[in-house]
Amino acid sequence: MTDIQLWTTVFIVLTFGLYIGIAWRSRVKETSGFYVAGHGIPAFANGAAVAADWMSAASFISMAGLVAFLGSDGSVYLMGWTGGFVLLALLLAPYLRKWGKFTVPEFVGDRYSELVRTLAAVAAVLISFTYIVGQMNGGGIVFSRFLNLNLTGGVMVAAAIIFVYSVLGGMKGITWTQVAQYTVLIIAYLIPAVAIAQQFTGLPIPQVTFGQILSELNALSAELGLNEYTAAFSERPMVDVFLVTLALMLGTAGLPHVIIRFYTTKTVRGARYSAFWALFFIALLYTTAPAIGAFTKFNLLDGVNGTAVAQLPDWVDNWAATGLVSVADGAETINSVSNDPAAGADLTVNNDILVLATPEIAGLPAPIVGLVAAGGMAAAMSTAAGLLLVISSSVSHDFYFRRIKKTASDSERLLVGRLAMTAAVIVAIVAGINPPAFVAEVVAFAFGLAAASFFPALVLGIFWKRCNASGAAAGIVAGLTLTITYMIYTLDVFGTEAHEHILGVSPEGIGSIGALVNVLVAVAVSKATAPPPAHLAELVESIRYPSVSREEEPAGSGERS
């Protein structure tokens, strides 16, 4: 066992033991504890849990890699995911917390109809499943490199651990576990960034010092046949940059596993403060990602440019064993680098390894490498657990309890929810071993689905009293159908042939158009059909204009049946 594998094993065993211990101590037997933590999580802790839920394997493992290879065009992920959280905090979270139920489909069902609830539950499962595939793949990448497993074995191990503590603790256990996971992942992310900034600039503040190397990075990129790092719209057309950013923003505000987090606070005011703390915690990582992308890209290119294949750094061989780094057959010297296997470059590097490989590329000691691996697993597991809970609640609460057996007891509903988790994990393992794209891109597909389905239905449901069940249902179906069809058309999934992007719109950006179609169809159908009943208009008024006394009521006192 190498030093890196030893330290990785130490950190992962310690952190996993902590997570499972928290889940065991927080295990629950009632549905309110399992799904919304009994509405008893303090705002500060909930903010950290939201941040951990938010910053998935896409943020920790893949985003800096995409920024490294896309350059300035990679900022779509930073702008979209951060801007979307602002939309969520301002437009949705306080109002949905005021409603005080278990799930997002439950609000949609009460606001519109049981049919719309069912459609929303289907959308929640579809979005969460797509999202969790990226987390499983990210966990597999960590284990495949640092514990000397293949990708299949890595995904299996990650899935088993995620499943254990998700089933044990429900939302209560997941929340407190995510507080610990956020602590681990942010320390793991910042330490190598600070160390590399000190190496390059003599000032250990990566967020403000990485600009010093951009001119050199541009020159190195040009020398290796790559676009200048700082050139705008060199990797994506302008229209797609706009559409991807918008899709990520709208999708963020409509993600069911993040929205449900705001149901766990004690009051509506607590939900607002949770949003503040979450933005602070998120900013720590999101302001660091561009620096890691730039520093790592420079280290990568500077270390291999013009180097003979026989003299490549050790990290190339280490990652080549996972299949995520490859040297072209017949290449003797590295004169070109790409993240696209079809580009025919001398060296092909998968986006998803850059953050995990950063300590090795920079020559940092083995304990830091192990800590980063543990941070990557914390990011993947924190989000996967929240997603499994959404799938569980949608199946057990919105399908089984609401549509099949309304007399089901708490224990029976919990059993159905845990069985749904088990099925979701099994299917996600298969998809995680053979994902359709990089981790962050797979996650972006989930955001596009959320943008095309949940966001319009929720915003119209809160701010437009005239929107009725027929309009909401038609809008969700139209938006999802367009988005899913285009994704299948442009991606090599289900054995289909990948086609060219229409008008430069990528599958990550189609969710913006799906959201627009959803709104247009919902408005048109609502206008053409009868308005919703008067009591629903009063319901909307009560959500939008809560009195001071009701805002401070304990959660659940304002619940409606």
Side-chain angles (χ1 to χ4, degrees):
M1 178 180 288
T2 65
D3 286 347
I4 288 176
Q5 290 175 334
L6 173 62
W7 281 103
T8 299
T9 302
V10 168
F11 278 115
I12 287 183
V13 168
L14 289 176
T15 55
F16 283 12
L18 173 64
Y19 305 152
I20 293 175
I22 291 172
W24 177 259
R25 290 180 61 86
S26 304
R27 63 192 186 279
V28 295
K29 296 182 179 179
E30 70 284 346
T31 51
S32 64
F34 191 79
Y35 292 130
V36 290
H39 301 293
I41 304 299
F44 180 86
N46 200 51
V50 170
D53 216 353
W54 180 263
M55 292 184 294
S56 64
S59 291
F60 189 99
I61 294 175
S62 193
M63 184 173 63
L66 283 170
V67 171
F69 280 103
L70 292 175
S72 66
D73 291 348
S75 62
V76 296
Y77 294 94
L78 299 169
M79 295 186 296
W81 283 333
T82 309
F85 194 85
V86 175
L87 285 181
L88 172 61
L90 295 177
L91 293 181
L92 296 179
Y95 304 105
L96 293 177
R97 175 60 189 87
K98 171 66 167 59
W99 187 241
K101 292 296 187 71
F102 283 177
T103 68
V104 176
E106 191 166 20
F107 166 78
V108 172
D110 289 348
R111 169 61 177 87
Y112 297 114
S113 70
E114 287 300 314
L115 171 62
V116 183
R117 181 202 302 272
T118 302
L119 289 174
V122 171
V125 171
L126 181 63
I127 292 163
S128 300
F129 175 73
T130 304
Y131 207 145
I132 204 172
V133 167
Q135 311 314 306
M136 293 297 183
N137 183 244
I141 289 171
V142 174
F143 281 118
S144 66
R145 164 64 187 95
F146 297 112
L147 296 186
N148 200 27
L149 298 171
N150 58 26
L151 184 60
T152 300
V155 170
M156 296 285 287
V157 173
I161 295 172
I162 291 167
F163 175 74
V164 167
Y165 77 76
S166 298
V167 168
L168 275 178
M171 179 60 85
K172 185 178 180 182
I174 288 171
T175 297
W176 290 109
T177 299
Q178 285 177 333
V179 174
Q181 287 168 334
Y182 175 79
T183 304
V184 171
L185 75 87
I186 199 64
I187 290 173
Y189 206 80
L190 290 176
I191 285 178
V194 169
I196 295 171
Q198 177 68 34
Q199 283 183 2
F200 273 93
T201 67
L203 187 63
I205 308 177
Q207 297 88 342
V208 298
T209 57
F210 74 95
Q212 298 180 26
I213 67 164
L214 292 183
S215 60
E216 296 178 71
L217 183 53
N218 282 338
L220 268 175
S221 298
E223 191 172 339
L224 283 167
L226 304 173
N227 292 318
E228 285 194 359
Y229 188 79
T230 58
F233 313 122
S234 60
E235 300 291 339
R236 293 178 181 268
M238 183 186 299
V239 64
D240 194 49
V241 168
F242 172 78
L243 290 175
V244 172
T245 302
L246 182 60
L248 295 177
M249 289 180 66
L250 301 182
T252 292
L255 281 177
H257 79 286
V258 174
I259 292 175
I260 198 174
R261 277 262 158 245
F262 294 95
Y263 291 178
T264 65
T265 59
K266 297 178 180 180
T267 64
V268 176
R269 179 171 294 178
R272 298 179 191 273
Y273 278 107
S274 292
F276 166 79
W277 283 113
L279 279 171
F280 170 76
F281 292 133
I282 289 167
L284 290 179
L285 188 144
Y286 271 53
T287 55
T288 308
I292 288 184
F295 284 136
T296 304
K297 181 72 171 291
F298 183 87
N299 259 333
L300 168 64
L301 299 185
D302 189 51
V304 302
N305 182 28
T307 301
V309 170
Q311 297 176 341
L312 286 172
D314 290 341
W315 68 265
V316 175
D317 288 336
N318 294 338
W319 282 96
T322 69
L324 299 174
V325 172
S326 61
V327 178
D329 293 337
E332 297 181 359
T333 303
I334 302 301
N335 295 311
S336 58
V337 179
S338 177
N339 63 339
D340 182 5
D346 295 328
L347 181 67
T348 302
V349 180
N350 188 293
N351 285 338
D352 296 337
I353 77 158
L354 285 195
V355 169
L356 298 174
T358 290
E360 291 179 87
I361 296 172
L364 298 180
I368 294 181
V369 179
L371 180 61
V372 170
M377 279 309 306
M381 292 194 307
S382 61
T383 301
L387 294 167
L388 286 174
L389 198 66
V390 169
I391 293 172
S392 171
S393 62
S394 295
V395 172
S396 67
H397 191 72
D398 296 305
F399 281 119
Y400 186 75
F401 177 64
R402 291 286 184 175
R403 306 290 287 183
I404 298 175
K405 189 177 180 181
K406 293 188 176 181
T407 59
S409 65
D410 267 14
S411 60
E412 185 177 351
R413 289 157 62 189
L414 286 176
L415 175 61
V416 172
R418 284 167 171 152
L419 290 175
M421 279 187 177
T422 303
V425 167
I426 292 171
V427 179
I429 287 171
V430 177
I433 293 169
N434 298 289
F438 298 119
V439 172
E441 291 175 319
V442 173
V443 169
F445 302 152
F447 280 74
L449 295 173
S453 57
F454 274 119
F455 182 77
L458 292 173
V459 171
L460 291 175
I462 293 171
F463 295 101
W464 190 41
K465 291 181 285 187
R466 182 63 175 78
C467 190
N468 61 20
S470 298
I476 290 173
V477 170
L480 273 181
T481 300
L482 172 67
T483 303
I484 293 172
T485 301
Y486 189 81
M487 286 181 178
I488 294 175
Y489 176 81
T490 53
L491 291 170
D492 183 14
V493 294
F494 306 125
T496 60
E497 179 184 354
H499 294 83
E500 292 293 327
H501 299 170
I502 299 174
L503 300 177
V505 180
S506 68
E508 300 101 296
I510 191 62
S512 297
I513 299 175
L516 176 61
V517 168
N518 185 329
V519 170
L520 294 176
V521 170
V523 170
V525 173
S526 295
K527 287 286 190 180
T529 53
H535 74 275
L536 288 181
E538 296 174 2
L539 179 154
V540 174
E541 287 288 327
S542 71
I543 295 173
R544 287 168 53 188
Y545 304 108
S547 65
V548 174
S549 60
R550 286 189 60 80
E551 181 162 323
E552 292 308 315
E553 285 182 0
S557 62
E559 290 186 6
R560 297 167 173 79
S561 58

